[in-house]
Amino acid sequence: MANTNCQTHGPQKATFVCVHAVDTLYDRRPRGFHWTSVDDEDPCGWCEECHERYLAAGEEWVGEAEAKLDAKLLCIDCFRSLIRLNGFN
Ligand SMILES: [Zn+2]
Ligand SMILES: [Zn+2]
């Protein structure tokens, strides 16, 4: 399991989130959010537009879907904030 040292939350479990969903942490504008379970070893999340590219690629992270994901490392608390900012619990 990967760890990260978050500027806000300190040492935490690491997650990977598309660059667009990360923007929501800063501007608080929901972009939709799809994610694997927060209990996964390395949880991943992505925005609605990435999800549409993922579906178009046959539900695989290949080609344009993968290229535009540009995943960033986030701590699990920031990940949970993103879930809430997008209107999920
Ligand atoms: Zn995205
Ligand atoms: Zn954090």
Side-chain angles (χ1 to χ4, degrees):
M1 176 169 91
N3 281 297
T4 182
N5 197 359
C6 178
Q7 286 187 354
T8 309
H9 304 108
Q12 295 285 344
K13 178 170 155 175
T15 71
F16 296 92
V17 174
C18 82
V19 65
H20 326 102
V22 172
D23 283 346
T24 295
L25 275 182
Y26 300 103
D27 66 11
R28 314 238 144 202
R29 190 165 73 79
R31 289 170 173 80
F33 200 54
H34 299 262
W35 69 97
T36 61
S37 168
V38 294
D39 297 322
D40 275 10
E41 209 163 290
D42 295 301
C44 299
W46 55 94
C47 74
E48 187 62 39
E49 284 187 15
C50 280
H51 194 66
E52 282 168 18
R53 284 190 286 269
Y54 169 74
L55 294 179
E59 302 194 20
E60 289 196 63
W61 293 112
V62 295
E64 197 189 22
E66 185 195 28
K68 295 205 169 160
L69 191 66
D70 195 12
K72 305 294 180 199
L73 193 97
L74 277 188
C75 94
I76 189 72
D77 275 359
C78 287
F79 192 88
R80 289 200 172 96
S81 298
L82 266 184
I83 293 172
R84 282 193 298 273
L85 282 167
N86 282 288
F88 302 100
N89 287 313

